[in-house]
Amino acid sequence: MTQRRPIVDALIEFQNKQPISFHVPGHKHGILSGLPQEIQSALQYDVTELAGLDDLHYPEEAINEAQLLLAEAYGAKRSFLLVNGSTVGNLAMIHAACREGDVVIVQRNSHKSIFHALELAHVRPVYVSPQWDEESMTAAAVPLKAVEEAIKAYPKAKAIVLTYPNYYGMVSYELTAIISLCHEHGIVVLVDEAHGAHFQAGAPFPVSSLSLGADVVVQSAHKTLPAMTMGSFLHIGSERVDAKRIQKYLRMFQSSSPSYLILASLDDARSYLQNYSQPDMRMFNEKRERFLSSLRMIPHLTVVESDDPLKIMLRVAHHSGYQFKQMLEKTGVHVELADLYQVLLILPLMKQWHAYPFAEIRSRLKEAVQLLEGEARKDMRVQVKTVSQVTVPELSFEEIDLTDQEWVPYTQVIGRIAAGMVIPYPPGIPLMVAGEKWTLAKVEELMNYLASDAQIQGDHRLASKELPVLQHEITRA
Ligand SMILES: Cc1ncc(COP(=O)(O)O)c(C=O)c1O
């Protein structure tokens, strides 16, 4: 295992020469900064493309070596460091793999960056719905059956875009079969693996989709590895997508002044993962097991494990995840998210020498659960009915863009084309996406969700009972 961290080393070497700045950024190694001392001193490393520091967009030295090491660590044909999050990785992979007008099969509950990429790339999406998983109470994975159905209906599809794992760490056990099926039909597999950058540490973590044969995989290193916010990776797994096109779009979509702090933190995160040893893993498992066992002793608290051991869900009987989150915040514990049923915790991917105050955390969790006893009970159970289905919008992104929209009472939307998304949580799967037609069944489904305490995200003014629709329909020749 290499201990090399070329970008980190290049920055240290540069700094050791006590350089004088007559260049950007304007804080001049932090001297002019009024930020707290700790941040100010970190700014001495916030430099730009100076001698010995390479260039992210045309890498030949330290950044090139860091990217080669990254590809080696993940077993990729080629890897890229991203300074604009998985958001930019998703934009680049879809633009690189598809041309205007291409049919693309897309997991319906994708992250917004995927929807933005589809719109910007002028492709034609075919949506496939994921299944609802009763155990984790989350929208889990798209079933193989739905992908088969989509390919049968759209055999000329160019690419498929999947999310693996979901936010809660649930993975698809059919992904290998889905990838093989897509490849048999000449369909490129693009995976948003924003929540799986740490899978490469090995069992008991799930296997990365890159190892399962995906063609392009994007990971938010900042979510689960020790990288700075916005630091992400993009890996190319095959020749099915042209690396030059990926690079072209990354040059277009990423800043021309990439942050060296983010780049160095990505270099460090890759090294951290590559040197994650068996003893580290053993210690992580032991500490995690002990922590979970101690939580299981807290009355009224339910611990739900995910496919990804870094994620755990906690539920308190008769109380919503939102209520629990609020109480936890009163005790100074901040979780990743709350939904109607539970809160989600992301555990630290610790090494042997790291300490985390698990005993203290347990006692604060217990306190929060006790505080909840004084709160009004909220017995919540949304009837989630997700059927695996393949859907296409009535109108293309361009047609939607060319048409004005108006707000109408939601009782009057039947037969009209939606001008925005409506996403009930749970299940977190869009009920409507822009360009789809409101039907009586869809309106009834929305009413059910509203009546059962689901939170409705997206483009709506449901507080005043209004939804956006297109003003008039474009009639196609
Ligand atoms: C599934 C998924 N994809 C992509 C993103 C965007 O990642 P980033 O914040 O690294 O741009 C997120 C962010 O939460 C996400 O959850």
Side-chain angles (χ1 to χ4, degrees), residues 359-379:
E360 170 65 21
I361 297 165
R362 180 190 184 273
S363 90
R364 293 195 198 186
L365 282 169
K366 191 173 171 194
E367 188 190 333
V369 175
Q370 283 165 350
L371 282 171
L372 267 183
E373 274 167 25
E375 286 282 297
R377 286 173 159 221
K378 234 179 174 191
D379 262 316

Side-chain angles (χ1 to χ4, degrees), residues 294-310:
S294 76
L295 295 186
R296 289 195 181 97
M297 313 270 285
I298 299 176
H300 311 299
L301 185 73
T302 305
V303 179
V304 182
E305 294 188 57
S306 165
D307 293 329
D308 175 0
L310 216 57

Side-chain angles (χ1 to χ4, degrees), residues 6-64:
I7 301 177
V8 178
D9 295 343
L11 275 179
I12 293 170
E13 199 179 319
F14 181 80
Q15 203 45 45
N16 283 346
K17 291 182 193 151
Q18 300 180 322
I20 309 287
S21 168
F22 282 112
H23 52 75
V24 297
H27 58 64
K28 309 290 174 198
H29 299 310
I31 296 168
L32 272 57
S33 167
L35 288 169
Q37 187 55 48
E38 297 81 1
I39 304 177
Q40 202 187 354
S41 38
L43 289 181
Q44 61 188 304
Y45 295 101
D46 181 40
V47 287
T48 186
E49 291 89 351
L50 301 163
L53 293 181
D54 211 357
D55 178 342
L56 177 65
H57 295 292
Y58 296 89
E60 289 179 347
E61 304 165 313
I63 296 176
N64 184 45

